Amino acid sequence: MRPDRTGVRFNPHRFQWARTSGDVAGGHPSNLLDTSYPYGGILAYGDVLTILGPDSNTSGGFAVIATVAHAALSKVGQLRPGRDVVRFREINLHQAAAMQSHLDQLLDPRHFETV
């Protein structure tokens, strides 16, 4: 894992792709014609997954296979290379909104004492 502001790149993993090549988009099955990339998107660049950071590309020709919930993006920035293990799990939009609501409540400045 190699993190920076452009993203967090994970060690290569051998995936089983639904097709054998990228056809007109390129040689690898993860290739596709240009598409937009969301902040927090999980980009499949060949057999390497990358969570896209705030300074990453906004478009390109690789598959975005998922997106990290906005409430979890701060944790992505805290990953330690070679020490942390990441396990992805699928959540729905309602669960992502509940995570964000909970985080907003925890970080509400009205809950902090001023000295």
Side-chain angles (χ1 to χ4, degrees):
M1 172 182 353
R2 288 177 280 180
D4 61 27
R5 285 189 51 84
T6 58
V8 176
R9 183 177 293 173
F10 293 92
N11 294 331
H13 176 80
R14 193 67 158 145
F15 295 103
Q16 288 186 328
W17 296 92
R19 58 186 186 173
T20 57
S21 76
D23 297 322
V24 297
H28 195 274
S30 65
N31 291 72
L32 47 89
L33 296 177
D34 280 2
T35 187
S36 60
Y37 295 157
Y39 172 44
I42 302 173
L43 181 74
Y45 177 73
D47 288 326
V48 176
L49 295 182
T50 303
I51 299 175
L52 300 172
D55 292 340
S56 65
N57 294 342
T58 57
S59 65
F62 293 98
V64 176
I65 60 169
T67 304
V68 175
H70 187 266
L73 286 173
S74 63
K75 291 293 185 187
V76 171
Q78 297 174 33
L79 292 172
R80 300 169 299 172
R83 297 167 88 191
D84 291 330
V85 174
V86 176
R87 289 190 180 100
F88 296 105
R89 69 180 175 94
E90 185 177 352
I91 62 171
N92 61 36
L93 188 57
H94 176 73
Q95 291 167 312
M99 286 172 59
Q100 185 64 47
S101 177
H102 179 70
L103 183 63
D104 290 345
Q105 184 180 13
L106 289 173
L107 298 177
D108 188 335
R110 294 175 291 178
H111 294 148
F112 296 103
E113 270 186 47
T114 56
V115 181

